[in-house]
């Protein structure tokens, strides 16, 4: 995750039964148990959100980095 600091990403989160939320932002900080994403203010009501690495491991969220999407398309 540290190698992606400052990168733009989309966080796809499971929000309940058959409901998914997508939030765009920039990976701002990483800590031993969580990471912080500064959200795009045009699309969200709050400035940043933090997620646990456990959310990634249990697949409650998925991260899509913009640079990885561009490489896959090339």
């Amino acid at each position: 995750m540290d190698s992606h600091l400052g990168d733009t990403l989309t966080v796809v989160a499971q929000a309940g039964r058959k409901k998914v939320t997508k939030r765009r932002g920039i990976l701002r900080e990483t800590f031993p148990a969580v990471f912080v994403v500064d959200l795009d203010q045009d699309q969200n009501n709050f400035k940043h959100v933090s997620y646990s690495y456990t959310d990634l491991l249990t697949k409650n969220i998925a991260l899509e980095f913009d640079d990885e999407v561009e490489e896959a398309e090339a």
Side-chain angles (χ1 to χ4, degrees), residues 19-38:
K19 192 172 183 183
V20 174
T21 60
K22 289 187 177 186
R23 293 188 174 129
R24 289 192 45 76
I26 298 171
L27 181 61
R28 196 50 66 198
E29 292 184 84
T30 59
F31 297 99
V34 297
F35 57 94
V36 178
V37 176
D38 284 349

Side-chain angles (χ1 to χ4, degrees), residues 9-10 12 15-16 18 26 45 52-53 62:
L9 66 120
T10 302
V12 181
K18 299 181 183 179
I26 298 171
N45 295 334
S52 166
Y53 296 114

Side-chain angles (χ1 to χ4, degrees), residues 2-73:
D2 288 339
S3 65
H4 287 288
L5 282 175
D7 289 353
T8 304
L9 66 120
T10 302
V11 180
V12 181
Q14 300 296 326
R17 295 178 54 182
K18 299 181 183 179
K19 192 172 183 183
V20 174
T21 60
K22 289 187 177 186
R23 293 188 174 129
R24 289 192 45 76
I26 298 171
L27 181 61
R28 196 50 66 198
E29 292 184 84
T30 59
F31 297 99
V34 297
F35 57 94
V36 178
V37 176
D38 284 349
L39 297 175
D40 184 358
Q41 291 301 298
D42 296 335
Q43 298 175 354
N44 299 285
N45 295 334
F46 30 91
K47 286 186 175 183
H48 16 258
V49 65
S50 63
Y51 293 100
S52 166
Y53 296 114
T54 305
D55 293 330
L56 280 173
L57 294 172
T58 58
K59 298 188 181 185
N60 288 332
I61 65 169
L63 302 179
E64 299 172 355
F65 289 95
D66 288 358
D67 60 343
E68 291 176 357
V69 172
E70 291 170 6
E71 289 175 6
E73 292 175 355

